[in-house]
Amino acid sequence: MTRRTMPRLAPRSVLLIVLGVLLVALVVGMEQLAPLFRAWFPDQNPAMYERESFLNLTLAHVALVLVSSLISVGVGVGAGLFVTRPAGREFAPLVSTLAAIGQTFPPAAVLAIVVPLAGFGFVPTLVALVLYGLLPVVQNTVAGLGTVPPQTLEAARGNGMSAWQILWHIELPLAMRVIVAGVRVSVIINIGTATIGSTVGATTLGTPIIAGLVGNNLPYVIQGALLVGLLAIVTDLAFERLERRFSFGASGATP
């Protein structure tokens, strides 16, 4: 009788699980570390951010990043597809320039422009994140579609496939790994950038960070930054696993 061996998890899979559990534990039970923070920072009173639960802050932060990333991905992939079609190739330099401007324009400046028009809170932060997350998605969509071998496209046309069939069954599957890499970069950027939304009243994990900076309270800054950092790392590791599911396409990405 042969012994059935259990499949071994890859080290990075183990790391993802460990950090994911740690993130959830801190989000739910950060308040339990209050004695530790008071011991580390005896001169700070209070040493634990208590104006709002870290669970609510994290959920609001994730919701903001999720909505902004969905818009960035939808617009970015759509723009990338458009400029790689015959009818849109002449617009490729314009689209790339606009996407680059969106990322190079400081988020704080975007907030300063949008706040008088849309008010404080969620909306101006969403606009800033959408603009900031467009460039990696556009660039990687164009780069991924550009890796599809011309002979593969010719063979598909020779088999009578329509343009939409070629796009859906040939181009997108072959380019998906590079596209996902661009989405990965965009989402990670937005996780960190979303914290600045707290300066205009948005509820994010930047709220304790801003409160700590304004009130010279280092524990607040550490608590918010710790959760933002862990969230970014866990998300990055999850996207890394997602990329590996696509066996086709180039492995490189254009950040």
Side-chain angles (χ1 to χ4, degrees), residues 125-217:
T125 309
L126 179 66
V127 172
L129 294 184
V130 169
L131 293 176
Y132 218 57
L134 273 176
L135 182 62
V137 181
V138 173
Q139 284 190 335
N140 277 49
T141 300
V142 173
L145 293 170
T147 62
V148 180
Q151 57 268 30
T152 302
L153 299 177
E154 288 298 328
R157 294 188 191 100
N159 287 328
M161 295 180 70
S162 67
W164 282 108
Q165 288 175 323
I166 294 173
L167 175 64
W168 187 254
H169 295 290
I170 305 295
E171 293 184 88
L172 285 178
L174 291 175
M176 190 56 67
R177 188 171 183 179
V178 179
I179 295 174
V180 170
V183 175
R184 172 184 178 182
V185 173
S186 178
V187 172
I188 299 305
I189 288 174
N190 279 354
I191 288 175
T193 309
T195 56
I196 200 173
S198 295
T199 60
V200 293
T203 301
T204 72
L205 286 171
T207 303
I209 297 176
I210 300 301
L213 293 174
V214 172
N216 195 26
N217 191 313

Side-chain angles (χ1 to χ4, degrees), residues 56-73:
N56 289 339
L57 292 173
T58 303
L59 291 176
H61 193 101
V62 170
L64 180 58
V65 171
L66 181 61
V67 173
S68 63
S69 296
L70 286 175
I71 297 174
S72 292
V73 170

